[in-house]
Amino acid sequence: MIPEKNKEYTAIVTGVSSDGNGICRIDGYTLFVPQTVTGDKIRVLVVKTRTGFGYGKRMEIIEPSPYRTEPVCGAYRRCGGCQLMHIDYAYQTEIKRGIIENAMRRIGGFEDFFVSDMVGADKPYRYRNKMIFPIGKDKNGEIVCGFYAQRSHDIMPLDGCVAGGDFNGAVIRAVKEYMQENNVSPYDEKTHTGLVRRVFTRVSAKYGSVMTVISVNGDNLPNREKLIKKLRTACPDIASIIVNINKKRTNLVMGDKNVTVWGSDTIKDNLLGLDFEISPHSFFQINHDMTEKLYAKALEFADLSGNENVMDIYCGIGTISLCAAKCAKSVIGVEIVEKAIEDARKNAQSNGIDNAEFYASSAEEIVPKLIENGRLADVVILDPPRKGSEEKTLSAIVKAAPKRIVYVSCNPATLARDAKYLCENGYSITKSAGFDMFPNTMHVETIVLLQNRNM
Ligand code: SAH
């Protein structure tokens, strides 16, 4: 029976869904309730009902779950950035193990699947090396910079974030002060007017240097020397200040053009002993320490002896490719963002690696061509974006029949779908590991090793 909308019920939370909501049942009807956890007894207001399931708002915690903990961030209840901060950290990783296993069983049909190794983070806070803060106006016309509130485009003013570096608060304050003192308008996404859209920061975990990108709906910033001075005073570790031109009416974080107004065009970080230059547009893993663990596991699964030809598909700036190149015969990296491939080539050169080549193209276009041209691989590494891999790419890989496929995934649902395809076409999952790259959020990273059944 569907419960009545706008009515309150008492319920016990029995689990947490893959998007981080507590799950409870009212007369057999499933209700998702944000910011609750397994074992909570709650008063819940039914706010939305559909056939089969609905959403509720937590009104009161009658008896708290033993898994509950006090969120360290005052903005947590309104902010859309984290979903699990009210949950004890050890239990968060268990929830994530469940999310992976559920997806693999339900979507992939791997009935006995379990994650052999679930790796939690040593640092559940201050782990993000990249932050993006939107800028706008509040009801009184004051400039605000912070995060979007849950399920909305209202900007909640914040003075930094416990997921990112401490310096972010100083950067936000410097940009706001500069805007106020120089009459620089914030962007208004409804009317597509105003200048400053976002502040983006990236910090190097190894070297401590900071890149700040200001994205603008225009060609320049007035009195930009004043902004540069303020930023350098506020954050002495700044090594690069970039203005990104983003004049389109779009939600995309950045436009195509970057103008370096102070310092360098890229910043440098280090993974597993290799230095990487990172451009503003290039993807770079967000949690440095966990990335080193993730890559070490991917390399362990790849089991390279020095004789293998490796293909690293969705290679970004070539991080996995170059780590693999040190113990492989050759590596081909494939990536759609041209700037990232430029970074990858430079990174190969500066690290003295000459057995890696890189192609800027979509995987679905280039991988079938490479394989038709006889560029077969012994080991394939896949690390696609959330939507997973295209069937065109997967079928080409199957034709090439590598011995091993190491699939690194940020979305268990598409991993399950793609692994199902690969297992229907000659492969078996033999190992798996889960990594909590994003503590306090519902995101989880998974690696599975798929072995060719004919080898
Ligand atoms: N392996 C890298 C990057 C993983 S993120 C690392 O660990 O840093 C996924 C990457 O896939 C991004 O760099 C993104 O630009 C790229 N990408 C997205 N769609 C793609 C496609 N269709 N073909 C090739 N690369 C794509």
Side-chain angles (χ1 to χ4, degrees):
M1 213 183 60
I2 299 185
E4 247 178 82
K5 216 170 133 180
N6 297 324
K7 204 179 146 185
E8 281 190 25
Y9 294 81
T10 299
I12 306 249
V13 180
T14 54
V16 177
S17 72
S18 60
D19 38 15
N21 295 318
I23 307 168
C24 52
R25 296 222 155 63
I26 294 171
D27 292 334
Y29 180 85
T30 303
L31 207 61
F32 294 109
V33 191
Q35 302 194 354
T36 62
V37 59
T38 322
D40 276 342
K41 186 174 177 190
I42 54 169
R43 285 297 286 171
V44 54
L45 178 77
V46 177
V47 289
K48 202 190 249 176
T49 51
R50 301 220 177 108
T51 352
F53 67 93
Y55 290 90
K57 183 173 178 209
R58 182 193 97 188
M59 303 307 283
E60 185 195 344
I61 301 167
I62 302 169
E63 273 169 39
S65 153
Y67 300 124
R68 188 164 268 289
T69 182
E70 195 54 42
V72 302
C73 170
Y76 175 57
R77 285 213 68 180
R78 285 199 304 137
C79 176
C82 294
Q83 300 77 33
L84 307 179
M85 204 184 260
H86 61 288
I87 303 176
D88 167 68
Y89 185 64
Y91 193 59
Q92 286 187 26
T93 47
E94 278 315 297
I95 291 173
K96 294 186 187 192
R97 171 197 289 279
I99 290 172
I100 301 170
E101 290 176 353
N102 263 336
M104 292 301 278
R105 290 172 194 165
R106 286 204 347 262
I107 302 167
F110 303 101
E111 278 171 23
D112 306 324
F113 184 89
F114 67 96
V115 177
S116 4
D117 193 7
M118 188 70 212
V119 185
D122 297 329
K123 257 189 351 192
Y125 306 103
R126 305 256 174 245
Y127 59 84
R128 285 189 68 101
N129 57 18
K130 176 178 116 175
M131 301 297 289
I132 299 162
F133 300 101
I135 291 191
K137 258 189 211 158
D138 67 9
K139 286 189 207 96
N140 309 320
E142 295 292 322
I143 297 167
V144 282
C145 180
F147 277 154
Y148 292 122
Q150 278 175 47
R151 290 178 296 276
S152 95
H153 264 219
D154 294 341
I155 300 169
M156 251 178 17
L158 283 179
D159 207 18
C161 164
V162 292
D166 239 345
F167 66 88
N168 283 293
V171 168
I172 291 177
R173 282 192 296 277
V175 174
K176 264 169 56 179
E177 253 177 50
Y178 151 78
M179 289 174 69
Q180 282 154 351
E181 288 169 10
N182 294 277
N183 274 326
V184 178
S185 57
Y187 180 67
D188 179 339
E189 59 182 10
K190 288 196 193 91
T191 55
H192 189 51
T193 55
L195 190 61
V196 181
R197 301 176 73 136
R198 288 183 185 87
V199 180
F200 165 115
T201 65
R202 190 175 249 160
V203 58
S204 162
K206 170 84 185 247
Y207 301 107
S209 45
V210 171
M211 169 184 272
T212 299
V213 183
I214 315 286
S215 113
V216 298
N217 173 36
D219 293 303
N220 204 344
L221 281 172
N223 300 334
R224 76 181 189 205
E225 289 310 316
K226 294 205 170 140
L227 173 67
I228 293 168
K229 197 167 161 214
K230 266 194 194 299
L231 280 172
R232 291 184 60 200
T233 312
C235 178
D237 291 327
I238 277 195
S240 161
I241 303 176
I242 290 174
V243 172
N244 173 263
I245 315 293
N246 188 4
K247 291 195 276 189
K248 289 198 188 132
R249 200 171 196 145
T250 158
N251 268 336
L252 287 181
V253 171
M254 283 199 274
D256 294 334
K257 194 172 164 204
N258 290 316
V259 182
T260 306
V261 295
W262 187 84
S264 53
D265 300 340
T266 55
I267 58 164
K268 184 165 74 178
D269 207 341
N270 184 289
L271 286 167
L272 299 179
L274 296 178
D275 276 345
F276 293 95
E277 293 287 345
I278 314 158
S279 302
H281 276 95
S282 297
F283 176 89
F284 189 72
Q285 295 281 354
I286 294 212
N287 182 336
H288 175 271
D289 298 2
M290 288 302 286
T291 298
E292 290 199 322
K293 293 186 185 179
L294 179 86
Y295 285 5
K297 184 61 83 177
L299 293 175
E300 179 195 316
F301 284 4
D303 193 18
L304 303 173
S305 65
N307 298 320
E308 294 83 2
N309 295 309
V310 176
M311 205 179 272
D312 177 21
I313 307 174
Y314 312 96
C315 70
I317 59 170
T319 43
I320 303 182
S321 321
L322 298 181
C323 291
K326 290 199 290 187
C327 35
K329 186 158 122 200
S330 75
V331 177
I332 293 177
V334 169
E335 158 65 44
I336 200 163
V337 175
E338 268 177 43
K339 271 275 176 203
I341 287 295
E342 278 174 32
D343 288 350
R345 289 184 181 134
K346 280 189 209 146
N347 288 328
Q349 213 173 24
S350 60
N351 285 293
I353 291 172
D354 57 10
N355 60 340
E357 55 180 312
F358 292 96
Y359 293 88
S361 165
S362 79
E364 49 281 17
E365 252 173 69
I366 190 96
V367 174
K369 278 189 202 148
L370 287 167
I371 286 165
E372 264 165 42
N373 293 336
R375 305 298 302 273
L376 302 183
D378 305 296
V379 175
V380 167
I381 298 167
L382 286 168
D383 185 6
R386 289 189 64 75
K387 69 178 190 268
S389 207
E390 307 276 331
E391 200 168 305
K392 257 189 175 170
T393 309
L394 296 177
S395 70
I397 295 171
V398 165
K399 263 194 217 135
K403 264 188 239 150
R404 288 183 287 288
I405 302 171
V406 180
Y407 195 131
V408 184
S409 161
C410 55
N411 182 351
T414 53
L415 166 67
R417 179 200 66 200
D418 293 349
K420 181 169 192 251
Y421 177 91
L422 293 168
C423 289
E424 283 164 356
N425 289 281
Y427 287 82
S428 296
I429 297 178
T430 53
K431 285 181 188 169
S432 63
F435 290 83
D436 188 16
M437 310 283 278
F438 307 101
N440 305 309
T441 77
M442 79 286 186
H443 297 292
V444 63
E445 199 88 7
T446 316
I447 312 186
V448 298
L449 171 62
L450 295 122
Q451 296 266 10
N452 189 325
R453 285 198 291 271
N454 298 322
M455 286 183 194

